[in-house]
Amino acid sequence: MVKRARVLIDCKDQKGLVYKISKIFYEYDLNIISNREFVDKEDQYFFMRSVVAGNFEPFDLESALIKELNNSANVKVIPPAKKNIVIMVTKESHALGDLLIRYIDGELEANIVAVISNRKNLKSLVERFDIPFLTISADNLSREEHEELIMHELAKYSFDYIVLAKYMRILTPKFVAAYEGRIINIHHSFLPAFIGANPYKQAYNRGVKIIGATAHFVTNDLDEGPIIAQDVISVNHRYDWRDMQRAGRDVEKIVLSRALKLVLEDRVFVHKNKTVVF
Amino acid sequence: MVKRARVLIDCKDQKGLVYKISKIFYEYDLNIISNREFVDKEDQYFFMRSVVAGNFEPFDLESALIKELNNSANVKVIPPAKKNIVIMVTKESHALGDLLIRYIDGELEANIVAVISNRKNLKSLVERFDIPFLTISADNLSREEHEELIMHELAKYSFDYIVLAKYMRILTPKFVAAYEGRIINIHHSFLPAFIGANPYKQAYNRGVKIIGATAHFVTNDLDEGPIIAQDVISVNHRYDWRDMQRAGRDVEKIVLSRALKLVLEDRVFVHKNKTVVF
Amino acid sequence: MVKRARVLIDCKDQKGLVYKISKIFYEYDLNIISNREFVDKEDQYFFMRSVVAGNFEPFDLESALIKELNNSANVKVIPPAKKNIVIMVTKESHALGDLLIRYIDGELEANIVAVISNRKNLKSLVERFDIPFLTISADNLSREEHEELIMHELAKYSFDYIVLAKYMRILTPKFVAAYEGRIINIHHSFLPAFIGANPYKQAYNRGVKIIGATAHFVTNDLDEGPIIAQDVISVNHRYDWRDMQRAGRDVEKIVLSRALKLVLEDRVFVHKNKTVVF
Amino acid sequence: MVKRARVLIDCKDQKGLVYKISKIFYEYDLNIISNREFVDKEDQYFFMRSVVAGNFEPFDLESALIKELNNSANVKVIPPAKKNIVIMVTKESHALGDLLIRYIDGELEANIVAVISNRKNLKSLVERFDIPFLTISADNLSREEHEELIMHELAKYSFDYIVLAKYMRILTPKFVAAYEGRIINIHHSFLPAFIGANPYKQAYNRGVKIIGATAHFVTNDLDEGPIIAQDVISVNHRYDWRDMQRAGRDVEKIVLSRALKLVLEDRVFVHKNKTVVF
């Protein structure tokens, strides 16, 4: 029996959905703490996230909802619990550091079970926080061989999400498929502007007046996955690309942390190549 | 019979509200186009705004909802229709002009039935748009006498809201009471900073790095009414107070238009001294 | 003899530039009201914009500066005067309307000498402001023929800049060359994201969380000209592409007006494909 | 002899200042890497910050400039060097943590020589970074006695600035005077809104739609010192005051770090109760 849970439902839209769902909540004598719904008009597709309180067996509630919705809806009833994450980085510390401080603070709704890097310079930082740091060098390895080593290590951990906190290597389809819908990346541009390598150099060369960062789920199309969060800051002609990079780091880390918070709180639905964020 | 309406409900929170409401929607064979709910935890108070589609008599639906909720809820079923507004100004044209362009554009979900000013300099602008412009000078009049004249003119029009688009005179409690909850003001500061006269001079003297504007409902407490929308822009040491004023105008007009749009679309609940904006 | 002027200088960077320039100012007994400099490190190129006050012949000052800088610098001494602009539009009124209100207000540092459109729906709006409105239909005309007609009309006016306030046709290289460096466009996306047609549909399809607008000088590379100003607003999954379009209009008009203000105040240097904005 | 230095000059405005200063730069055969000037029109007061490169004795250059400006200007020639800072905190880790990560990163242009707190919960975090952490409890002490102990410890360190990274106790005039112009605070509101205690509760009660943070120099007037940097984020009716607090932390830490960076790069002049920030 739990006191509180998040209920996530998505299905083809139809009349009476809210009625049917709220009827079950009513029968289970639940308080609706918060409730958000959305219908994608183009697709006639329904999304709902509720937080409910009462005394109930999550599995029972889930089953009742699924049945009431004629076995045609995705339903998840999620009691509150910290999720587990693995962080992958290359050599920059700002996004990782931001997560570490939130973690030690208790602000992050997750346990960081390991940090993996192809470089070793962040090892001492991570170990200061008593978190395992695995250096898996890519030297002299093919991309596939390198990822094989990473996947071998990942297999030792139980985790919900992989967070790429400035991991600067492109992942193969095989890796992406292995953790489908569970890899979150921070891209250092306001996507879809400046896809690919060196976005700050691209931004400098284009003479933009605003730069940004984008947190997204990773799919096989480079920098094309569903966007979770974005933000921007102003720049001007006095910024060379390194200044843009420095300024951009603050946006990157805040956007990644914000996106991760949304994901950890089960606020993000992925539908086709977009997100619904409650 | 209508095809579509907005349904606004607010009442003391209790279990089963969403169930009861959605049951009525279901019985009326309505599609829920959009639906937003909020519970003020502090007050245990419930707010809901739905857009529903079907074939129904608004009054019937309203009655059914009220009955289902035991006559203890505020329920409004509002078929789509342009509302009427009166705009009051003093001498600045930016906020007024922004509304005029949106009006002639068809973008404003309202008819501007009249513009009233204590000055006459904006007369020719307003009349270019074939809208009645009433100059009601305050010269040699007490505040009460002046407002009496305005109220006399207002009595000739049917309108839902009075929009103070930089009307620079303070309204008496009598005037405010006469149009309770129906007066929207744009204040040229990021309230509650810089209440009262000359906020840009105050901002300049304080050396702030950001200035803003606030759209709010007018109550008897000067600049203390429920806030509908706010926005800001950056300034710096190179701005004197007139530069701040000039820069601020763009924020003022956008914030006022945004707030008015929210109100005209029936998205704003006022509860105590705050708003719930869906 | 004038009392005040803007001095614009750009040239290859070298030691002593500020000294030489300020020496001339000193010899002319000028007060420096404001002064901004920038050196593009990559190109070793120097930019300066000063506002000076005193009693002087602009042409004399210009000559003295050119001579002091060994005939190797671009120098302009510009006494304060309203510039003339022609506005080109297609059918949307928001960006045009914003300029009209600023114009009638006296806030725009320019005279609008004419508005040209390939459509006629904005004629009545523009004529309310006593500004000539020329409808030059593109029906049954090649792009070249249509532009020929426009250029024929433009030849009747004296103007400094052409402002494309949502003119929705692509200009030919011939047209662009005829008014080189004098055409300002507002593009309805945060360039370089969503170049080309229907940026709001593109943005909707990509699922971005922020949309924007970009004011830039027009060159022959579509949407690739030097950027003057950009701004953004947040959107979310509830926005369909028309909602994004509506929301984007406020950004478009503000960004265009802001960019135009910068240009009219002679604050913008174009260097290669970028701008220096003082 | 140094290769590069920052030159800071402020004095009563007068004709020829830029000429005289740039003449000295020219005589010293210096390259001006960057140069920013500002004249406060109200006060007729001049500010300038240049970065110059060449081969020179900083003290010589400083003397030459002072002499050229008739001993009536404040002149500082500052060779590049990390400054030393002491951080004071109470119990929250976000602002401190952000500085620690930047420090270990090498991004912070300062050495953190010590962290002082009236509580001990952040001790383990700070010591992970090999920085001395001094717990100086205020229990059973008067404000004066407590500060006496702090000043006693501070006397052991050489430092340029004290950074209050959420130090939640009010400082006495004596303490402020002892480190005049050298104490930087982050206030968790968009000053001057919500001065004093519990700004997030105040913001929640007022129903604002935007919250912010303000970094400022500390003076004896609580929350009234010269503002260095401010920023804001949007909130809505769904935020209770704790949500505002959580959301506000990201703004607080970024604003404090940004302000500190400006100060450490000698970009901030304080004049009366305002700042000029280059």
Side-chain angles (χ1 to χ4, degrees), chain C residues 147 150-152 154-155 159 162 174-183 218:
Chain C
E147 287 185 355
I150 296 173
M151 291 173 75
H152 183 74
L154 284 172
F159 61 89
I162 295 173
K174 188 181 166 195
F175 190 96
V176 172
Y179 313 100
E180 203 194 333
R182 295 166 59 199
I183 311 176
V218 174

Side-chain angles (χ1 to χ4, degrees), chain A residues 93 98 105 128 250 253, chain D residues 93 98 102 105 128 250 253:
Chain A
S93 64
D98 198 61
D105 224 12
R128 283 169 201 266
D250 281 355
K253 75 185 184 189
Chain D
S93 64
D98 198 61
R102 289 175 202 267
D105 223 13
R128 283 169 201 268
D250 281 356
K253 75 184 184 191

Side-chain angles (χ1 to χ4, degrees), chain C residues 56 121 190:
Chain C
F56 59 102
N121 68 305
F190 180 67

Side-chain angles (χ1 to χ4, degrees), chain B residues 3 10 14 39 41 68-69 76-77 123 126 132 147 156-157 165 189 194 196 199 210 226 231 239 248 266 276:
Chain B
K3 298 273 183 226
D10 66 87
Q14 52 181 276
V39 175
K41 284 175 245 168
E68 180 73 27
L69 299 172
K76 279 191 262 184
V77 176
K123 185 178 174 65
V126 170
E147 287 186 355
K156 299 176 185 168
Y157 295 92
S189 91
F194 311 129
I210 289 178
D231 209 347
Y239 287 67
D266 299 305
V276 170

Side-chain angles (χ1 to χ4, degrees), chain D residues 246-257:
Chain D
R246 258 186 297 270
R249 279 182 189 139
D250 281 356
V251 187
E252 292 170 19
K253 75 184 184 191
I254 297 297
V255 168
L256 178 60
S257 291

Side-chain angles (χ1 to χ4, degrees), chain C residues 46-152:
Chain C
F46 173 87
F47 305 87
M48 179 166 169
R49 178 190 185 272
S50 301
V51 178
V52 294
N55 278 291
F56 59 102
E57 205 50 73
F59 182 76
D60 282 1
L61 177 61
E62 199 169 286
S63 305
L65 285 164
I66 289 171
K67 196 178 155 208
E68 180 73 27
L69 298 172
N70 302 317
N71 298 305
S72 63
N74 301 310
V75 178
K76 279 190 264 186
V77 176
I78 307 171
K82 286 206 171 184
K83 293 182 170 54
N84 291 331
I85 62 171
V86 171
I87 299 174
M88 287 175 67
V89 291
T90 292
K91 61 176 181 173
E92 288 171 277
S93 65
H94 59 286
L96 170 65
D98 198 62
L99 294 174
L100 292 172
I101 296 292
R102 288 175 202 266
Y103 170 60
I104 209 149
D105 224 12
E107 191 202 311
L108 195 68
E109 206 182 282
N111 301 306
I112 303 175
V113 296
V115 177
I116 296 176
S117 179
N118 53 319
R119 303 274 279 266
K120 62 187 175 204
N121 68 305
L122 296 171
K123 186 177 174 66
S124 82
L125 172 63
V126 170
E127 290 183 348
R128 283 170 200 267
F129 291 86
D130 307 319
I131 295 167
F133 183 91
L134 313 177
T135 310
I136 303 177
S137 169
D139 293 355
N140 308 315
L141 297 179
S142 71
R143 192 173 299 279
E144 288 71 18
E145 288 166 337
H146 182 234
E147 287 185 355
E148 197 110 340
L149 293 180
I150 296 173
M151 291 173 75
H152 183 74

Side-chain angles (χ1 to χ4, degrees), chain A residues 36 93-94 97-98 101-102 104-105 107 125 128-130 238 246 249-250 253-254 261, chain D residues 36 93-94 97-98 101-102 104-105 107 125 128-130 238 246 249-250 253-254 261:
Chain A
R36 302 192 65 180
S93 64
H94 57 287
D98 198 61
I101 296 292
R102 289 175 202 267
I104 209 149
D105 224 12
E107 191 202 313
L125 172 63
R128 283 169 201 266
F129 292 86
D130 306 319
R238 292 197 309 270
R246 258 185 297 271
R249 279 181 189 140
D250 281 355
K253 75 185 184 189
I254 296 298
K261 186 180 197 302
Chain D
R36 303 194 62 183
S93 64
H94 58 287
D98 198 61
I101 296 292
R102 289 175 202 267
I104 210 151
D105 223 13
E107 191 202 311
L125 172 63
R128 283 169 201 268
F129 291 87
D130 307 319
R238 291 197 309 271
R246 258 186 297 270
R249 279 182 189 139
D250 281 356
K253 75 184 184 191
I254 297 297
K261 185 179 196 304

Side-chain angles (χ1 to χ4, degrees), chain B residues 223-237:
Chain B
D223 301 335
E224 295 284 357
I227 293 171
I228 307 166
Q230 302 189 287
D231 209 347
V232 297
I233 48 165
S234 292
V235 294
N236 58 47
H237 60 267

